[in-house]
Amino acid sequence: MSCAIGIDLGGTNLRVGILDRSGHILAKNMAPTGSDRSANGVITRIAEEVGQIRKTHHGQILAVGCGIPGIVAFDKGMVISSPHFPEWSGVPMRDEISRRIGMPVVLDNDANMYALGEHRFGAGRGCKNMVLLTLGTGIGGGLVLGGDIFHGDEGFAGEVGHIVVEPEGIRCNCGGRGCLEKYAASEGFANLAEKLSSKDKTSLLSRLGCDLSDLTPTLVAKLAEDHDEIALKLWAGFGRYLGVGIATLVNVLGIYTFIIGGGITASWDLFADPLRKEALGHTYKYHASHLIIKRAKLGDDAGIAGAGSRALEYFQL
Amino acid sequence: MSCAIGIDLGGTNLRVGILDRSGHILAKNMAPTGSDRSANGVITRIAEEVGQIRKTHHGQILAVGCGIPGIVAFDKGMVISSPHFPEWSGVPMRDEISRRIGMPVVLDNDANMYALGEHRFGAGRGCKNMVLLTLGTGIGGGLVLGGDIFHGDEGFAGEVGHIVVEPEGIRCNCGGRGCLEKYAASEGFANLAEKLSSKDKTSLLSRLGCDLSDLTPTLVAKLAEDHDEIALKLWAGFGRYLGVGIATLVNVLGIYTFIIGGGITASWDLFADPLRKEALGHTYKYHASHLIIKRAKLGDDAGIAGAGSRALEYFQL
């Protein structure tokens, strides 16, 4: 059976897997991305890992799909901007990787790969249209429209973390301000805490024994699970902002299926209700019975499954 | 040559035209929609106008496209919700119209028809992806993705007037609050004026000799053209909100072409600069050289051209 290698390159980890056409991951490996963030350094690491995993498989591997964090000009196979890999701008990464490993490569944004993985083999299976959001330090996103990833004009579609939820809000590293990911991702907790009364804020930080800048979803979740009201309030605020973003997506795209992935979904029960309530509060009543907001299924495998699947489909293998 | 009738049904006017495949409007007519807003009343008016215009044309007319204001479940040919025609909910309008005029009918949201008209024959000609926004009492919208109208799951895509720009903002008749059209459409001027200092507000209203609820884009434009600073400020606020909405669309869809239509574009020069500045201020720098925000070209003909074209394409004529 035709197989492809799926690569999910992150700021910390480099995941590589072999995928067959039915969505089985035949082998997978995770290794550090490494400290050399130059294009050449990362390509060397990718080539090493691809070389390793190829040894484990006796069938034919025909192509590689590679998901990369950042703004990827899909048609050109280039990275326009990646916060984790600032030196890559303008480097023809797709062709360089392909040359080094001797296989055809398709390059795409990592959240697009993740979305495709969940659509083909996970929580979005069978639906015509869906939006995937991954909650991490920021928010990644991928749009599956009419059964396929929608790229927009150059490959940048799905930057849902930059839906503007507060026009005069906090500065974002995209150059804008008040972006969704400033409130509904890891980095959002400090911003949400800033909106508390000064008494509540002091009380929260003293109970956690940390500074505002050290607030993490995990710390706040621990406290919330002990029924701490202020911690619960922060999670509700997190959920509400996410709900506002999803409402905008419902209104713009007329799509009902939203799949949420990323580490923060471990705290699903702390934000799912306010999220759903707020999303419904900002859309037509008619949508209430149709809206599906659910957790991703494949966890860390979504990226490699999606990337492998992208390669198989793109090269029609 | 194959021809179709395009119908653009509005709350006030009913426009009907005959379109050929090359986009020529061979005949057109505008008449009052009439006071009977029931499904039967409006279908009778449509049948009368279609009957009239058919008499002017000696070739064969093969189908009808009909654009309707409101949330249209495209696959079912039904109107889910229309503020102008509240009695239509659940009525199979497409099939009823088809039965009365004896031709196949395709029903769609009026802004989708408008978008298709501008894409096929107007300001969006030749572009792969575009978003159309029509500025009127509210904001209509249509998404052209990959060269065709994108409908979403049931036909509701493109409700860009309900992008949430102020999560805690003014109540909207969609059931939500802080929707874009509460600030960047006709009804927005009163809301923008509410944000002025009380001195500025009083001064503006006394110069206009009207109440807050009587503020219209035309009145404010007249004053702004006389270089009235407060009026110019209101238009700048209007443009900025529209810019925030367009920034969200750029980030979500990765699309660069935005076509703006509707009567308010008569005041284009009063809001185009703040609109563009704000849109760029909320998106990645890279987009600055790519973003195209321009006025629609076809005016009131866009609706009938799009509806006729939709019929020709849908029925493959």
Side-chain angles (χ1 to χ4, degrees):
Chain A
M1 196 188 286
S2 302
C3 287
I5 288 179
I7 299 173
D8 182 13
L9 177 68
T12 311
N13 295 313
L14 171 58
R15 290 170 208 275
V16 180
I18 299 175
L19 188 90
D20 70 15
R21 284 191 61 84
S22 22
H24 295 117
I25 296 175
L26 307 177
K28 63 178 177 178
N29 192 33
M30 186 179 93
T33 301
S35 56
D36 182 353
R37 297 302 169 107
S38 68
N40 189 50
V42 175
I43 290 170
T44 301
R45 285 289 300 116
I46 288 175
E48 285 165 6
E49 291 300 320
V50 166
Q52 284 295 327
I53 207 159
R54 274 174 105 161
K55 285 185 199 155
T56 68
H57 185 71
H58 299 293
Q60 214 183 357
I61 296 170
L62 299 167
V64 170
C66 183
I68 282 186
I71 309 275
V72 176
F74 165 69
D75 287 336
K76 297 178 189 153
M78 277 168 68
V79 176
I80 299 296
S81 151
S82 175
H84 289 297
F85 306 101
E87 295 170 44
W88 293 9
S89 299
V91 179
M93 289 297 280
R94 178 191 59 205
D95 298 342
E96 288 294 318
I97 299 171
S98 176
R99 201 177 52 80
R100 285 285 278 281
I101 62 180
M103 276 192 281
V105 171
V106 58
L107 201 75
D108 210 328
N109 170 270
D110 56 352
N112 283 350
M113 296 298 202
Y114 197 112
L116 196 69
E118 285 291 337
H119 185 264
R120 295 298 189 259
F121 314 113
R125 216 165 169 161
C127 71
K128 186 171 70 167
N129 304 301
M130 63 165 248
V131 179
L132 172 110
L133 298 96
T134 53
L135 310 178
T137 314
I139 300 180
L143 314 180
V144 176
L145 307 186
D148 217 341
I149 292 293
F150 177 72
H151 283 98
D153 284 345
E154 293 194 276
F156 310 158
E159 290 289 324
V160 299
H162 301 284
I163 290 172
V164 184
V165 291
E166 295 282 4
E168 306 293 330
I170 294 155
R171 277 256 165 246
C172 179
N173 57 11
C174 75
R177 57 196 317 157
C179 294
L180 181 59
E181 68 179 29
K182 286 286 149 192
Y183 307 93
S186 289
E187 53 174 331
F189 280 86
N191 299 330
L192 293 169
E194 282 286 16
K195 296 179 176 239
L196 294 171
S197 72
S198 123
K199 189 179 144 230
D200 280 358
K201 190 164 70 180
T202 312
S203 146
L204 177 81
L205 294 177
S206 82
R207 248 165 304 165
L208 289 171
C210 75
D211 285 338
L212 198 63
S213 59
D214 301 326
L215 271 189
T216 64
T218 316
L219 280 175
V220 182
K222 229 170 177 174
L223 214 55
E225 279 150 17
D226 290 341
H227 310 286
D228 178 281
E229 273 187 33
I230 304 169
L232 286 167
K233 209 195 247 182
L234 282 196
W235 275 106
F238 176 96
R240 277 200 302 272
Y241 270 111
L242 203 54
V244 167
I246 285 182
T248 284
L249 292 168
V250 170
N251 293 331
V252 168
L253 293 168
I255 284 180
Y256 294 135
T257 308
F258 294 84
I259 313 284
I260 321 252
I264 298 182
T265 55
S267 302
W268 185 256
D269 292 342
L270 294 172
F271 68 85
D273 285 345
L275 157 54
R276 190 174 168 83
K277 198 175 157 203
E278 193 75 5
L280 292 177
H282 280 284
T283 48
Y284 283 95
K285 256 192 199 150
Y286 175 83
H287 300 324
S289 55
H290 297 77
L291 191 63
I292 296 164
I293 303 172
K294 58 180 174 183
R295 292 177 70 170
K297 263 190 185 168
L298 304 183
D300 290 335
D301 286 350
I304 48 180
S309 167
R310 185 96 179 82
L312 289 169
E313 294 176 17
Y314 186 76
F315 297 110
Q316 302 185 323
L317 302 173
Chain B
M1 195 189 285
S2 302
C3 288
I5 288 178
I7 299 172
D8 182 13
L9 177 67
T12 310
N13 295 312
L14 170 59
R15 290 169 209 275
V16 179
I18 299 176
L19 188 90
D20 71 17
R21 284 190 62 83
S22 20
H24 295 116
I25 296 176
L26 306 178
K28 64 177 176 177
N29 192 35
M30 184 179 96
T33 300
S35 55
D36 182 350
R37 299 300 169 107
S38 68
N40 189 49
V42 175
I43 291 171
T44 301
R45 286 289 300 117
I46 288 176
E48 285 166 5
E49 291 301 318
V50 166
Q52 283 296 326
I53 207 160
R54 276 175 104 162
K55 285 184 199 157
T56 68
H57 184 72
H58 299 294
Q60 215 184 357
I61 296 170
L62 300 166
V64 170
C66 183
I68 281 185
I71 310 276
V72 176
F74 166 68
D75 287 336
K76 296 177 190 154
M78 276 169 67
V79 176
I80 299 298
S81 149
S82 174
H84 289 298
F85 306 101
E87 295 170 44
W88 294 7
S89 300
V91 179
M93 289 297 281
R94 178 190 58 204
D95 299 342
E96 288 294 317
I97 299 172
S98 176
R99 201 176 54 79
R100 286 284 279 281
I101 61 179
M103 278 192 280
V105 171
V106 58
L107 202 74
D108 210 329
N109 170 270
D110 57 352
N112 283 350
M113 296 300 200
Y114 198 112
L116 196 68
E118 286 291 337
H119 185 265
R120 296 298 189 259
F121 314 114
R125 216 164 170 161
C127 71
K128 188 171 69 168
N129 304 301
M130 62 165 250
V131 180
L132 173 110
L133 299 97
T134 53
L135 310 178
T137 312
I139 300 181
L143 315 179
V144 175
L145 307 186
D148 218 340
I149 292 293
F150 178 73
H151 283 99
D153 284 345
E154 293 194 277
F156 310 159
E159 290 290 323
V160 299
H162 301 284
I163 290 172
V164 184
V165 291
E166 295 283 4
E168 304 293 331
I170 295 156
R171 277 258 165 244
C172 179
N173 56 13
C174 76
R177 57 196 319 156
C179 295
L180 180 58
E181 68 179 29
K182 285 288 151 192
Y183 307 94
S186 289
E187 55 173 327
F189 281 87
N191 300 330
L192 293 168
E194 282 285 18
K195 294 181 176 233
L196 294 171
S197 72
S198 124
K199 190 179 143 228
D200 281 357
K201 191 164 70 179
T202 312
S203 147
L204 178 80
L205 294 177
S206 81
R207 247 167 303 166
L208 288 172
C210 75
D211 283 340
L212 198 63
S213 58
D214 300 326
L215 271 189
T216 64
T218 316
L219 280 174
V220 183
K222 231 170 174 172
L223 214 55
E225 278 150 17
D226 289 342
H227 311 286
D228 179 282
E229 274 186 31
I230 304 168
L232 287 166
K233 209 194 244 179
L234 282 197
W235 274 106
F238 175 96
R240 279 200 301 274
Y241 271 111
L242 203 54
V244 167
I246 286 183
T248 283
L249 291 168
V250 170
N251 293 331
V252 168
L253 294 168
I255 284 181
Y256 294 137
T257 308
F258 295 84
I259 313 282
I260 321 250
I264 298 182
T265 56
S267 302
W268 185 255
D269 292 342
L270 294 172
F271 68 85
D273 285 345
L275 156 55
R276 190 174 168 84
K277 198 176 157 202
E278 193 76 5
L280 293 177
H282 281 285
T283 48
Y284 284 96
K285 258 194 199 150
Y286 174 83
H287 299 325
S289 55
H290 298 76
L291 191 62
I292 295 165
I293 304 173
K294 58 181 174 181
R295 291 176 70 172
K297 263 191 186 166
L298 304 182
D300 289 335
D301 286 350
I304 49 180
S309 167
R310 184 95 179 85
L312 289 169
E313 294 176 16
Y314 186 76
F315 296 110
Q316 302 185 324
L317 302 174

